[in-house]
Amino acid sequence: MQIAVVLYPTFTALDFIGPYEVLRNLPDAEVRFVWHEPGPVTADSGVLMVGATHTFDETPSPDVVLVPGGPGSSAAARDERVLAWLRAVHPTANWVASVCSGSMVLAAAGLLDGKRATSHWGALSALKMCGVTAVSDERIVRADDKVITAAGVSAGIDLGMWLAGQIAGEAKAKAIQLLIEYDPQPPFDAGHMSKASATTKAGATALLGRDMIKPEPLKASVLLAWDQAIRRVRGRGAARRTA
Amino acid sequence: MQIAVVLYPTFTALDFIGPYEVLRNLPDAEVRFVWHEPGPVTADSGVLMVGATHTFDETPSPDVVLVPGGPGSSAAARDERVLAWLRAVHPTANWVASVCSGSMVLAAAGLLDGKRATSHWGALSALKMCGVTAVSDERIVRADDKVITAAGVSAGIDLGMWLAGQIAGEAKAKAIQLLIEYDPQPPFDAGHMSKASATTKAGATALLGRDMIKPEPLKASVLLAWDQAIRRVRGRGAARRTA
């Protein structure tokens, strides 16, 4: 079973390391990290580098596709080669999954049109902009029989566990859960917007903003917003013409 | 604040990506990945590569040290240059932390002599062998005022959150928790030995064994066991001679 993780620049590492650590333990799992070319890809932190192992062309029919989030998701969502690959592998894949703002990339590829999906809380409004029913109160949201999205960053572990259960059954998923000792005991309880105080929300928004003001991601996200607005305006024009 | 993650071959990625994703959001955090030489280091999966950014010599006084676990921990625990570096940076570091079998490396460096510590359930007996009081029912175990150990793999996120609270206060730690949406909702509840069925335990042990039968780690862990046994025998001889 081939599991392809899309590894674009300025990814958020925990987004995919969580599900990778779960899914690599499935029977016959072959994990690969896919980008335009093999080689080091740098995370949002600017210091962590992870190696892309395969190109998109070398990976025409993965069984599972996983798109992580990160400040670079806006740029990835405007990369026509990424979108073309997602559209090409979607029909034969068993699962196409995203974590965090990775759902923006699935949306841009048209895989979430008119469907329910989730994302990091900081990216939910951008997801709505793409014509998606953005869900803020579910950690894992199933768009259809093969496309599934998870909330922000650490939600990828829950997604990985859920997928493991779907793919290999509950007994195997539980064995993996024990293997990675996924018995979470957070020392605080502020991990969801519904639980966080105003101070916590302000602090988290400041941290999120710190990542977002890096020039390239900001530029790409502004361009993505324009893309979507133009698409809507053109759509209305077309609707009027055909009416 | 400099955070040094030790990146030995056949590490388990989630062990350190969890705390990295938390701690990198602390004020003035400078994360570096440390090994004998900079360059790609391959994970236990054999497919994930992460870049070491700095050598040990370039990193003489980190504020926080993090040692992950993985099949390669036995080899790292027998690497005298790793142990010498840990002993050298320990006095000036604020925190020396391990996740999973990373505590074996701290133990081999002598930082856990006669102290309480934890590890992955599969490594607790090896930890005992090193003269450590191995704790199986606490997810984060504090050995003393600066050395702290976490249970297996995903426990690193809890450790990271706890350390963030200690270092930067509860308000900052909660903001980071919201940023990474650490609001875990595992679809199963088999993440600790006390909760897992016999079937789950057998399945997890088989998965663990699959990693451990790779020739190099097995060799290193056998050698580590011999090291400890010989040290004990020699210690007894010395005690008799001085008695």
Side-chain angles (χ1 to χ4, degrees), chain A residues 20-201:
Chain A
Y20 145 89
E21 204 69 86
V22 173
L23 299 175
R24 76 181 187 86
N25 286 296
L26 290 176
D28 306 317
E30 182 228 325
V31 179
R32 46 174 67 190
F33 299 97
V34 183
W35 188 234
H36 294 305
E37 56 280 318
V41 184
T42 306
D44 50 6
S45 64
V47 61
L48 177 75
M49 283 172 291
V50 173
T53 58
H54 293 79
T55 65
F56 289 116
D57 288 346
E58 288 170 326
T59 312
S61 55
D63 301 291
V64 179
V65 176
L66 181 76
V67 182
S73 57
S74 299
R78 296 189 76 249
D79 185 327
E80 286 300 335
R81 287 162 68 201
V82 172
L83 303 182
W85 180 78
L86 283 170
R87 290 182 196 117
V89 301
H90 170 257
T92 53
N94 293 319
W95 292 100
V96 178
S98 67
V99 179
C100 200
S101 59
S103 54
M104 291 294 300
V105 186
L106 300 189
L111 306 186
L112 293 174
D113 285 351
K115 293 177 180 164
R116 297 173 80 249
T118 193
S119 189
H120 190 279
W121 50 263
L124 285 170
S125 58
L127 199 57
K128 274 181 212 159
M129 182 183 81
C130 296
V132 176
T133 303
V135 179
S136 64
D137 57 353
E138 294 173 37
R139 197 152 165 91
I140 301 173
V141 175
R142 198 167 174 168
D144 57 33
D145 63 342
K146 71 165 71 180
V147 180
I148 185 140
T149 61
V153 195
S154 62
I157 306 175
D158 292 336
L159 176 84
M161 288 301 312
W162 187 89
L163 274 175
Q166 294 290 313
I167 293 168
E170 194 172 308
K172 182 66 77 177
K174 285 180 170 176
I176 296 172
Q177 184 175 18
L178 183 59
L179 183 72
I180 65 164
E181 290 200 49
Y182 188 41
D183 179 33
Q185 293 168 31
F188 311 105
D189 188 23
H192 189 266
M193 285 297 256
S194 64
K195 298 174 178 177
S197 69
T199 309
T200 299
K201 285 177 193 172

Side-chain angles (χ1 to χ4, degrees), chain A residues 14 20-21 24-25 44-45 49 51 120-121 139 154 158 177-181 183 185 188 190 195, chain B residues 14 20-21 24 44-45 49 51 120-121 139 154 158 177-181 183 185 188 190 195:
Chain A
L14 185 53
Y20 145 89
E21 204 69 86
R24 76 181 187 86
N25 286 296
D44 50 6
S45 64
M49 283 172 291
H120 190 279
W121 50 263
R139 197 152 165 91
S154 62
D158 292 336
Q177 184 175 18
L178 183 59
L179 183 72
I180 65 164
E181 290 200 49
D183 179 33
Q185 293 168 31
F188 311 105
K195 298 174 178 177
Chain B
L14 185 52
Y20 145 88
E21 204 70 86
R24 76 181 187 86
D44 49 7
S45 64
M49 282 170 294
H120 191 279
W121 50 262
R139 196 152 167 91
S154 62
D158 293 335
Q177 184 175 18
L178 183 59
L179 183 74
I180 66 164
E181 291 200 47
D183 179 34
Q185 293 169 31
F188 310 105
K195 299 173 177 178

